[in-house]
Amino acid sequence: GLESKVLRDCPFECTAFKDELKLCEFNASHNKNNYYAWTHREWLLDRISSKKGLLKELDWVRKFNSMHVSEYSGLHYRYQVLLKLLQTSSAAGATLVNDILSSRHSSSKSTGAVENWVVKMVEEELESNQDLIMNYCGFESLWTYRRVLFLLQLRLKGLSPSKIISTLDGEIKKAVAACAEDVSLHDTEKQSRHSATFQMWCIHAATRQCEEYIDAQSVNKKDSRVSLELRKLMQMRKTSEANLEKYWPGHPSISLMRF
């Protein structure tokens, strides 16, 4: 009928759909990390297919996250909105999302056609996340969300090992800056721990991306340039391990993330 067509094509024009969104927001706001509210909102997200509608939903969840920085449920939903935007942006975007969800590596050929606005959107997410990390000290949820953004950025751009390391270096510098002495911190110890763990995780993720790129492109690991880049990663890993051991002695990440 007409109502089902409206729900399919213009869900935000459907009163019942808007009521459901409001109900989810109410329950998520009044019950921290409410699994049922966020799961239902993800079901509603599947009914949004237009770029305009998805950007509207992204704007809403950004505002929600800024007022509930400790809740990872809301940040996880935000990531689902990003993936939906990427999925609907182009055929290349849809392929990349399928590869991400199935833990497959995407070749540079498949990621090359991803539209620039999508890459810029992820970059804006990273900037927004950095602002929250700098202003809300010690919240693990923000650091965890940054992990998936960092990996998404690498996969979107289909970077070569040298560019992966350059991107990684920038991330590590930002993580260190979040613990700088001139930054107003209420919980320095927590912030330092999360920063050190994040750096270790990023090095682990970057190494895997480099290896997958090398395998996908049939690059010889003994090639002098590739060998140099891999040695750089190993040195960064050793430095990061020592840093993590300093702030969080005996943390399981040190053993779990060895390559």
Side-chain angles (χ1 to χ4, degrees):
L2 179 61
E3 185 173 349
S4 61
K5 185 177 186 303
V6 171
L7 182 57
R8 182 182 70 250
D9 299 335
C10 306
F12 287 99
E13 300 301 320
C14 178
T15 301
F17 185 83
K18 290 189 288 186
D19 287 345
E20 289 298 302
L21 289 176
K22 290 178 182 178
L23 183 62
C24 289
E25 181 176 3
F26 176 84
N27 282 286
S29 298
H30 290 79
N31 297 278
K32 186 177 180 179
N33 287 317
N34 189 310
Y35 172 82
Y36 302 102
W38 289 110
T39 300
H40 185 51
R41 194 160 188 118
E42 282 193 39
W43 182 85
L44 294 171
L45 178 64
D46 286 339
R47 273 71 192 163
I48 306 174
S49 58
S50 69
K51 177 183 175 181
K52 180 180 179 181
L54 290 168
L55 288 174
K56 181 177 181 179
E57 189 67 358
L58 180 62
D59 183 59
W60 171 83
V61 74
R62 280 174 171 172
K63 292 176 181 176
F64 183 93
N65 294 149
S66 67
M67 295 183 289
H68 302 81
V69 293
S70 66
E71 297 185 41
Y72 188 71
S73 293
L75 291 165
H76 171 76
Y77 178 77
R78 184 166 171 171
Y79 181 61
Q80 300 308 309
V81 177
L82 288 177
L83 289 184
K84 186 72 181 290
L85 274 161
L86 174 57
Q87 192 174 37
T88 57
S89 64
S90 64
T95 299
L96 180 56
V97 171
N98 289 335
D99 288 344
I100 289 172
L101 296 178
S102 60
S103 299
R104 293 196 303 267
H105 178 71
S106 300
S107 67
S108 58
K109 182 179 179 180
S110 67
T111 58
V114 172
E115 295 187 19
N116 288 333
W117 69 265
V118 177
V119 177
K120 184 178 180 181
M121 176 182 66
V122 174
E123 291 173 347
E124 289 174 351
E125 279 293 292
L126 283 161
E127 290 177 8
S128 172
N129 175 262
Q130 182 72 9
D131 288 341
L132 290 175
I133 284 174
M134 298 293 281
N135 288 299
Y136 297 93
C137 172
F139 286 99
E140 186 176 12
S141 54
L142 298 175
W143 288 98
T144 302
Y145 181 55
R146 193 167 189 85
R147 293 182 184 186
V148 295
L149 290 177
F150 171 70
L151 186 55
L152 180 59
Q153 181 186 43
L154 293 184
R155 302 198 72 164
L156 270 175
K157 295 184 177 181
L159 301 174
S160 64
S162 61
K163 291 184 178 179
I164 287 174
I165 291 176
S166 176
T167 303
L168 171 64
D169 187 56
E171 274 301 302
I172 289 179
K173 287 178 179 177
K174 289 177 181 177
V176 171
C179 304
E181 292 182 0
D182 59 342
V183 177
S184 178
L185 301 177
H186 297 94
D187 198 328
T188 307
E189 184 179 357
K190 274 188 177 181
Q191 187 83 331
S192 297
R193 285 183 175 185
H194 295 322
S195 174
T197 306
F198 171 77
Q199 292 174 54
M200 188 71 184
W201 187 94
C202 284
I203 293 170
H204 176 74
T207 301
R208 288 192 61 184
Q209 285 299 115
C210 283
E211 292 175 344
E212 289 177 359
Y213 179 92
I214 290 169
D215 291 340
Q217 302 296 325
S218 300
V219 178
N220 188 345
K221 288 187 179 181
K222 294 183 180 179
D223 179 279
S224 59
R225 289 178 300 176
V226 174
S227 179
L228 178 62
E229 302 300 344
L230 292 177
R231 285 201 300 272
K232 285 181 182 178
L233 278 171
M234 289 296 291
Q235 185 57 49
M236 293 173 80
R237 177 181 68 81
K238 290 178 181 178
T239 302
S240 181
E241 277 187 354
N243 192 36
L244 182 56
E245 182 66 35
K246 173 184 176 182
Y247 291 110
W248 208 329
H251 189 276
S253 293
I254 295 177
S255 58
L256 291 175
M257 292 185 183
R258 293 190 188 278
F259 317 132

